[in-house]
Amino acid sequence: MKAAARPAGGDPAESPPQGLPPAAHPRRPRHALPPGATDCHCHLYEDPQRHPLNGARSYTPAVATLRQYLAMCAAVGLERTVQVSASVYGFDNSVTLGAIAALGQQRARGVAGLPPDAPAAELERLHAAGIRGVRLSTSVKGYGGTDAIGAMAGRIRPFGWHLQVHVRGTQELAALEDQLLRTQVPLVFDHMGCVRGGEGVAHPGFQALLRILQRRDDCWAKISSWYRRSDSGGPDHADMRPLVQALVAARPERLLFGTNWPHPRLFDAARMPDDGALVDQFCDWVPDAAVRRRILVDNPSTLYFSN
């Protein structure tokens, strides 16, 4: 097996590129989401004077506040949230914890960035505050990469947390498949395993993701950020539809939905999606209302809100 990938690198002398703010007024979707619909992947970027950005980061975000996020959720029909602590904050999870505290744990939970040697007392504090997972990434600097899977799994197992795996490309999942099948904590795969639309369902990395979902009962994949992964482009993102449908056919009870608001690391305003349009696209691609409810409500309840 190939060596596990390490975090995204880059020249520390380069200035991180400046991201764009999200669309200010998303349109109301054609589809009404069910009560309890949950956004399982989103970020906040508060005032950098109060919440300094990590020096080693892959991008500089535009400010995107909890108030703005809640306005988007109200417009599109999302009622619960899973806040993913952004990589630009490194191991400082205060923005995420602040959002959970403001909304309450019946409405919000979180995923943290943590080093593998974080003290047990810190994990206990985060668990009490609503954190239910740790993110590792080879795509962005700030968290640590998939080489930390083994060490991190040992630390979080007593808390029942999951590892959230964010890779630069889906081919990494093929290289990691054996290890991921053996890892003794639940796994969550960001952005459909980060497959590109042009790679298609037959890509070895995407096939590895499908096998992991089918062979384990404690692994999950997020239907999110497909607009970024599409090679055919918007507004249809047609090359992503077969990938979503393959996941739904394989394991609908292990899928989650995420907006990826405020759509970080987009630098071309023409590519900034409308969140109402994304909700409609998801609903069009998953036409069965019972399956949509499972993905939007039941699955998040099991993974994030059951303890």
Side-chain angles (χ1 to χ4, degrees), residues 34 252-253 286-299:
E253 73 278 17
V286 186
D288 187 312
V291 174
R292 288 205 304 265
R293 177 180 171 81
R294 175 175 284 182
I295 295 170
L296 289 163
V297 182
D298 300 338
N299 295 348

Side-chain angles (χ1 to χ4, degrees), residues 103-147:
L103 298 176
Q105 291 191 34
Q106 76 286 351
R107 189 177 175 192
R109 296 294 174 98
V111 175
L114 279 177
D117 60 353
E122 175 65 358
L123 273 68
E124 291 169 0
R125 181 183 78 89
L126 294 175
H127 186 80
I131 295 297
R132 292 298 181 266
V134 174
R135 194 186 199 203
L136 299 174
S137 178
T138 59
S139 183
V140 289
K141 295 181 283 187
Y143 296 124
T146 52
D147 54 337

Side-chain angles (χ1 to χ4, degrees), residues 7-33:
D11 184 349
E14 294 180 358
S15 177
Q18 175 67 53
L20 298 170
H25 303 290
R27 67 167 175 79
R28 189 166 297 278
R30 291 179 283 103
H31 296 270
L33 299 185

